[in-house]
Amino acid sequence: MTTPGCPPVSSTFEGEERKHYEETSFDAEVASHALHLRGRKLTISIAFVAGTGFTLFGYDQGVMSALLTAGQVVVDSSHPNHATLQSFVVAIYEIGCLMGALSNLWVGDRLGRRRTIALGGCIMIIGAILQTTSYSYAQLVVARVVTGIGNGLNTSTVPSYHAELSSAAKRGALILIEGSLITFGWIDFGLYWASGSSAQWRVPIALQMVLALVMVFGIGFVVIRLVKQNRNAEAIAVISALENKSPDDAEVQRTYHAIREAVAIEDSGTSSGLGGKHPLQNPKRSSLRKLLIGGRSQHFRRASLGVINQCFQQITGINLITYYAANVTSRLIAAANGTEYFFASLIAIFIIDRIGRRKLMLFGAVGQCITMILLAVLGSVRGAGAQVVSAVLLFVFNSFFAIGWLGMTWLYPAEIVGLEIRAPANALSTSSNWIFNFVVVMVTGPSFNDISWGTYIVFAALNAFIIPVVYFFFPETAGRSLEDMDVVFALAYNEGVSPVDVSLRKDVPLAGTPEADRILGIDTIDQKVNISGETS
């Protein structure tokens, strides 16, 4: 006989036994997915693979520019439009990159980060083969477009992938390494062989395939967080390995819960989710329409910040400086400028996570504005002395840009947006970079011809415009996980204040806590996520 209102003893025992069996089974499943690399070694491996993608990006641009400067591409120098055709080979690459970035609007979430990067690498290999074997100008142009498509896919995916697998404390430094590797790829190593032979340009171009192969095969050994695919045991195993802690560690559990929060919001499309006793099922694909959503998620605002951030990088005038260095200074100074550019970019890696994103962006914009004003003044004066000082200012501008903006635009868009729109938002922000890159390159030459040193005044004004926009509208992301930023924007919306002000506060609850759940509107108040991915 049983006491009224109480479950039978045998039933209670069977329930506890079943729960114990499920937990033991889940523990075993997590253990079966344990990664061989953990902690620092795993972080370095991920950084190496991600860095390879951006080294490939810089190398492709750097080698082609160097070969064009030396006149080593398949365009007959006797052709009346030789210079125009040579320049078109470079410019068409940016169109391919734009196409690749825009395609990520549709393929990013369907394929996932890892497969998209592998696809981009394979496309770049095909492009490199087509370039290396080119025996006609038309083939070379098509090959450049194909290579650009692959690079567009990679540059709009790799930063997000790396950010999702990086801790909040080190994310800035790790992704800024990618920006530095772009400039490393630009360094002119004098890769010319076999004078009088087409090997002078075929061999350097073919070497791209080595980097692409490293990236494609390397990405296969790194597993992204898998909560979105309902592979909870694998997800916990990856988080455990990244943080080098036990799967049942409180911090591992909080990180896992925070990611489930983000997936729950995406799955439901509302503020509900994670309140049930079962893992999430069949998460919905991101929709382009979600980019226009406001509310707690603030998707439109966050996606816009990423697009504007990438736009700002190009309108600083970095391509103007590159144009000046390539056309006015000696080849030796241009090479030294590229090398100094690389070493200056390393400074940001060591200070980004301590100083924060906002201060570096403001520092870069102020310095760039002042440098442009000085270049304008010297341009109006003319004379040998003015030219010497102008050459020095090229190094100064590159230093400000390398510290404040070079890697920032690959980092900030990846961490400012939420999981629900991360793939399409980063596709748009990267597209913004390529579009404004193309615009600036197109207007720089005619602008110098028409208004000469006045061109520097235009870019000084643009840099001055960047300063208040960053100060008033760009939230700080340093020290916060990607999921924490969801809480920052939701709290700002709930309180009717600026996300910038909230991002600078110290009292914002961490994602994955009951307080954060309440702010996000998720019905998991006072519930604890256990290791099996259920709530209790």
Side-chain angles (χ1 to χ4, degrees):
M1 185 172 180
T2 61
T3 303
C6 295
V9 174
S10 60
S11 175
T12 302
F13 178 77
E14 290 175 0
E16 291 178 352
E17 187 177 51
R18 186 184 305 110
K19 182 178 179 181
H20 174 72
Y21 173 78
E22 290 175 352
E23 290 182 352
T24 303
S25 177
F26 192 82
D27 289 346
E29 187 179 357
V30 172
S32 70
H33 292 296
L35 277 67
H36 296 294
L37 297 176
R38 298 181 64 83
R40 184 179 178 84
K41 291 182 179 179
L42 179 58
T43 299
I44 292 173
S45 298
I46 295 169
F48 175 76
V49 174
T52 300
F54 272 74
T55 304
L56 178 61
F57 169 24
Y59 179 84
D60 182 271
Q61 287 189 316
V63 165
M64 183 56 65
S65 296
L67 293 176
L68 286 174
T69 301
Q72 301 294 340
V73 180
V74 200
V75 181
D76 190 346
S77 59
S78 63
H79 195 286
N81 295 318
H82 174 265
T84 301
L85 293 173
Q86 293 274 60
S87 298
F88 184 73
V89 170
V90 177
I92 198 66
Y93 174 76
E94 295 174 4
I95 301 301
C97 290
L98 175 61
M99 293 167 60
L102 287 174
S103 68
N104 222 0
L105 286 168
W106 294 276
V107 306
D109 276 329
R110 286 181 172 84
L111 294 181
R113 314 283 190 262
R114 189 162 56 95
R115 290 179 181 175
T116 300
I117 294 170
L119 175 62
C122 290
I123 291 175
M124 290 196 78
I125 290 172
I126 294 171
I129 292 173
L130 291 174
Q131 287 183 77
T132 305
T133 59
S134 291
Y135 279 94
S136 71
Y137 181 76
Q139 182 180 344
L140 184 60
V141 168
V142 172
R144 293 294 292 165
V145 172
V146 172
T147 307
I149 291 172
N151 186 57
L153 282 169
N154 288 338
T155 54
S156 58
T157 306
V158 170
S160 295
Y161 178 80
H162 200 180
E164 290 171 338
L165 290 170
S166 301
S167 67
K170 299 178 181 178
R171 185 176 62 242
L174 291 171
I175 297 181
L176 255 58
I177 290 173
E178 296 169 12
S180 296
L181 289 173
I182 297 175
T183 64
F184 182 74
W186 286 342
I187 296 176
D188 182 2
F189 292 102
L191 296 173
Y192 310 118
W193 295 276
S195 180
S197 166
S198 63
Q200 288 176 305
W201 60 270
R202 295 186 193 279
V203 173
I205 290 176
L207 286 177
Q208 295 177 73
M209 288 183 277
V210 176
L211 292 171
L213 285 169
V214 170
M215 181 179 66
V216 169
F217 284 101
I219 207 72
F221 294 100
V222 183
V223 185
I224 198 168
R225 293 174 180 173
L226 300 158
V227 178
K228 195 172 181 181
Q229 286 77 35
N230 194 31
R231 292 152 68 180
N232 297 291
E234 292 175 73
I236 291 179
V238 171
I239 297 169
S240 171
L242 286 168
E243 300 188 8
N244 199 22
K245 296 176 180 177
S246 169
D248 58 1
D249 180 86
E251 188 63 22
V252 172
Q253 288 292 298
R254 188 191 65 76
T255 300
Y256 171 63
H257 183 98
I259 297 170
R260 280 173 55 82
E261 285 176 346
V263 176
I265 295 172
E266 177 179 7
D267 183 45
S268 64
T270 65
S271 60
S272 63
L274 278 183
K277 291 285 184 178
H278 303 286
L280 299 167
Q281 300 292 336
N282 302 319
K284 298 176 182 177
R285 304 274 184 201
S286 291
S287 167
L288 297 183
R289 288 178 295 180
K290 292 180 181 178
L291 291 168
L292 304 176
I293 292 175
R296 281 193 180 99
S297 65
Q298 293 287 288
H299 284 336
F300 179 75
R301 181 182 189 133
R302 297 165 75 177
S304 297
L305 286 171
V307 171
I308 294 169
N309 185 259
Q310 287 276 24
C311 163
F312 279 177
Q313 186 197 57
Q314 294 303 317
I315 66 173
T316 59
I318 183 61
N319 281 304
L320 171 69
I321 297 300
T322 303
Y323 174 87
Y324 184 95
N327 292 275
V328 180
T329 64
S330 70
R331 184 173 178 80
L332 177 61
I333 292 179
N337 194 36
T339 304
E340 187 273 341
Y341 190 18
F342 167 68
F343 284 109
S345 70
L346 300 179
I347 297 173
I349 295 173
F350 295 100
I351 62 177
I352 180 70
D353 289 310
R354 284 180 293 175
I355 292 180
R357 285 53 162 163
R358 283 165 48 85
K359 290 180 180 178
L360 285 190
M361 284 189 278
L362 291 169
F363 169 79
V366 170
Q368 289 156 188
C369 178
I370 295 172
T371 306
M372 284 293 184
I373 293 172
L374 293 175
L375 283 169
V377 172
L378 292 168
S380 65
V381 172
R382 299 182 182 279
Q387 285 189 338
V388 172
V389 178
S390 294
V392 172
L393 287 176
L394 297 182
F395 291 84
V396 174
F397 184 94
N398 275 355
S399 297
F400 280 118
F401 180 83
I403 294 172
W405 287 92
L406 174 62
M408 189 67 69
T409 50
W410 304 109
L411 165 66
Y412 197 79
E415 59 185 7
I416 197 65
V417 297
L419 172 66
E420 190 172 16
I421 61 164
R422 190 164 294 138
N426 277 277
L428 286 177
S429 64
T430 305
S431 299
S432 170
N433 185 287
W434 293 114
I435 289 170
F436 283 95
N437 183 311
F438 181 78
V439 170
V440 171
V441 169
M442 289 298 293
V443 304
T444 295
S447 180
F448 263 119
N449 291 333
D450 293 340
I451 60 175
S452 185
W453 54 267
T455 306
Y456 295 118
I457 294 295
V458 173
F459 282 97
L462 289 172
N463 277 286
F465 170 73
I466 289 173
I467 296 168
V469 175
V470 170
Y471 185 83
F472 289 109
F473 298 104
F474 280 52
E476 181 58 69
T477 58
R480 298 189 188 277
S481 70
L482 301 183
E483 294 74 30
D484 285 340
M485 293 310 299
D486 292 334
V487 181
V488 167
F489 279 93
L491 183 58
Y493 174 79
N494 294 344
E495 296 182 355
V497 298
S498 168
V500 175
D501 295 335
V502 176
S503 72
L504 299 174
R505 284 163 46 177
K506 303 296 183 183
D507 62 342
V508 179
L510 297 176
T513 61
E515 294 82 2
D517 291 345
R518 284 192 286 270
I519 291 169
L520 292 167
I522 297 175
D523 303 326
T524 54
I525 300 174
D526 297 327
Q527 292 185 340
K528 178 184 176 183
V529 176
N530 62 35
I531 196 169
S532 66
E534 299 177 350
T535 54
S536 60

